[in-house]
Amino acid sequence: MSPTPLRRVYENVRAGQTVLRDVARLREIVTVLLRHGFGAVVQELQLQDRWITNTLLELRGQAEAHLPIERRLLLALQELGPTFIKLGQMLSTRPDLFPPALIEELQSLQDNVPPLPIEAVREVIRAELRADVDTLFDDFAVTPLATASMAQVHSARLKGTGLEVVVKVQRPHLEPQVAADLEIMSFLARALETHFPETRMFSPAGMVAEFEKAILKEIDFRNELDNLERFRRNFADTPGVYFPEPYRERSTARVLTMERIIGTKISQIATPAFDVEGVLRSALNAVLQMIYSDGFFHGDVHPGNLLIRADNTVCFIDVGLCGRLSPRQRDHLTDLLVATVRHDWPAVARLFWNMTEHGKDSTRDYRTFEADVTEHAERWFGSGTVADIEFSAILKDLIGLALRHRIRMPPDYTMTFKAVITMEGVGKQLRPDMDLLAEAQPYVTRVVAERYHPQRLLETGYSTIRELADTLGTLPETLRVILEDLRAGRALVNIESRQLDSLRQTYAHTQHRTVIGALAGVCAVCGTLALGFGSYTIFGLPVVSFWFYVIGALLGARYATLGQRR
């Protein structure tokens, strides 16, 4: 047996052992599923024989039978508590995997928990900060500003300074409950993939693993503190945008103290008290900067997390969930927006195809996908003015196409799209004639200009040449190992006749990419050799060297793009 199956067996046994230790929690989960009409699923997973009695099975289908399945799932997640609520909120960002009706229900998922007693709050602070509340704060409010299933927030003042702060306090015993729920989720996800093979398309086990990483970061408040500090650095020189200041000496993994922001939700502002157009422009530019320039963005942008001060400053709060984009991902998003503005539908299709993940069940015929994108695009821009077009509708349509063709969108992209869709929704509510594409165009134009700045081109070319050199350096050894395995009979090549066309295309594509990479390397070498040639310079480089480097960088960018094609 190979290591991969052994590893899988080990993980299943480990998950099973944990479930045995947490049998009471699993019984509670199963009972909730039955109460909300998911008895057929419980029965198919064979949980009734191990964990619950036949009497409980009689509950299935009796409660809330008149409600749609999406609403019943929403109620079940809400009843199951903090871990499952957070799971539902994460799933609401995946319209590429789930139908719109379910996404709409999950987006309304809210915590509904009673507040912690003030003594319990004080005890958590005392245990974490090793001092009494009255020693650390003045005017610590007994009534919380906000309560949630994972934490609650109280207003206070820093002792001796008078600075207004909010103190976010984690609920006691949260970590053990989250850990137990994650193990049970992992067990149930594997059971789903085993008993319902159709669910493998969206990989329940993979989604639970992704969710586990996200929630473990979220319940460690030090991550949110780090996020705040990073955002404050990124926007230090941006007028009209602000992030609250965190106080590290009053913060731990379970307590977070930060500056209190007093403002109005962006969805509730109006003239003449606020400069609505200026606020919208500041908020939109801030989101664009996060996505296209910084590659580090607020992962939960919604009106409740955007507060507007009396001086029209846009304040972002609740930054526990953040997304990250690599330079290549940012380039893809920039090119997608540019192609949309230019109505270049083949480019939109190609970019979206390259941005997605492809599995065994995915569409193999790219031309069919491109034709679908073109058909939808012509409908988007077929009538009406540009201001009538909703960019959010375009993104939702593209995600729907991905679902139809069984290709998956990486989570960071879906979080990005959610932020853009939310900003457009708020903007249309406050200013119905807002044209997101027109508002974004100057910013994207600047980003594109920065991308093709000689310094950036040189950096891109250097990185590409290094990648090519590393690949070429390991190629002889890789080929030697493959040939030895073939000669020794340790590897078999099985090519079906219907795969020959695909193989020819792949071979031609590889040849083309190799030639492009070689030319990029030649240009870089020629540019270096010409550094001492000529007296005329551009950006401090001899003219000949400059143009060799530019052409090499462009070829290198093309080489990298070809490497992304599936």
Side-chain angles (χ1 to χ4, degrees), residues 402-418:
L403 191 61
R404 182 191 308 171
H405 289 274
R406 295 179 178 268
I407 55 181
R408 295 182 58 190
M409 181 64 62
D412 283 331
Y413 283 135
T414 58
M415 288 172 65
T416 304
F417 291 162
K418 181 187 175 186

Side-chain angles (χ1 to χ4, degrees), residues 28-283:
E28 179 185 351
I29 292 170
V30 171
T31 304
V32 169
L33 292 175
L34 289 169
R35 186 180 300 124
H36 293 283
F38 295 99
V41 175
V42 170
Q43 202 164 18
E44 185 66 29
L45 295 181
Q46 302 176 3
L47 296 174
Q48 76 279 9
D49 294 333
R50 305 179 198 178
W51 314 115
I52 60 178
T53 64
N54 290 330
T55 304
L56 285 176
L57 273 176
E58 294 174 3
L59 291 171
R60 71 181 184 272
Q62 292 179 6
E64 305 162 352
H66 62 288
L67 295 177
I69 186 172
E70 294 86 4
R71 174 55 59 87
R72 287 188 279 119
L73 180 59
L74 172 75
L75 295 172
L77 291 173
Q78 198 155 299
E79 187 176 343
L80 287 171
T83 317
F84 287 85
I85 289 172
K86 287 294 180 183
L87 175 65
Q89 291 171 343
M90 186 199 81
L91 297 182
S92 73
T93 66
R94 301 306 307 266
D96 57 318
L97 297 179
F98 303 107
L102 178 58
I103 295 297
E104 186 176 352
E105 289 288 353
L106 292 178
Q107 286 175 342
S108 67
L109 195 58
Q110 299 292 330
D111 295 345
N112 184 18
V113 294
L116 280 172
I118 189 60
E119 284 307 318
V121 172
R122 289 174 173 271
E123 181 56 39
V124 172
I125 293 175
R126 186 182 302 115
E128 289 294 309
L129 298 178
R130 304 190 182 281
D132 291 331
V133 169
D134 296 336
T135 305
L136 302 167
F137 304 101
D138 290 323
D139 302 327
F140 192 91
V142 174
T143 304
L145 289 174
T147 61
S149 53
M150 289 195 169
Q152 67 184 43
V153 178
H154 292 257
S155 63
R157 294 178 186 273
L158 282 184
K159 192 76 173 179
T161 68
L163 294 173
E164 289 192 81
V165 296
V166 291
V167 185
K168 185 175 179 180
V169 182
Q170 191 175 108
R171 287 181 173 266
H173 316 300
L174 180 66
E175 280 193 61
Q177 181 183 347
V178 169
D181 283 348
L182 287 172
E183 292 287 1
I184 293 173
M185 281 182 186
S186 180
F187 174 80
L188 293 177
R190 290 189 177 91
L192 273 176
E193 291 186 2
T194 300
H195 295 280
F196 297 93
E198 61 273 19
T199 64
R200 294 174 190 165
M201 183 187 78
F202 56 87
S203 181
M207 293 184 68
V208 169
E210 173 191 320
F211 170 67
E212 180 176 359
K213 288 190 293 185
I215 196 172
L216 291 179
K217 284 185 178 179
E218 194 165 348
I219 64 175
D220 185 343
F221 292 168
R222 291 171 297 189
N223 288 302
E224 184 170 354
L225 187 149
D226 291 340
N227 293 343
L228 277 172
E229 291 182 339
R230 181 169 178 178
F231 278 125
R232 285 176 63 82
R233 289 194 300 270
N234 290 348
F235 286 88
D237 300 322
T238 305
V241 178
Y242 190 78
F243 288 82
E245 180 181 358
Y247 297 97
R248 190 172 286 274
E249 70 280 1
R250 294 285 191 275
S251 302
T252 68
R254 298 176 62 213
V255 175
L256 176 60
T257 304
M258 68 190 108
E259 177 185 359
R260 183 179 181 182
I261 301 296
I262 298 177
T264 305
K265 289 183 182 180
I266 192 171
S267 57
Q268 297 174 354
I269 64 173
T271 54
F274 294 93
D275 175 11
V276 174
E277 189 164 340
V279 165
L280 284 177
R281 188 167 288 110
S282 293

Side-chain angles (χ1 to χ4, degrees), residues 494-508:
N494 182 20
I495 302 177
E496 298 181 16
S497 60
R498 66 173 181 270
Q499 294 176 319
L500 288 176
D501 288 341
S502 175
L503 186 61
R504 291 191 192 101
Q505 291 175 3
T506 301
Y507 176 70

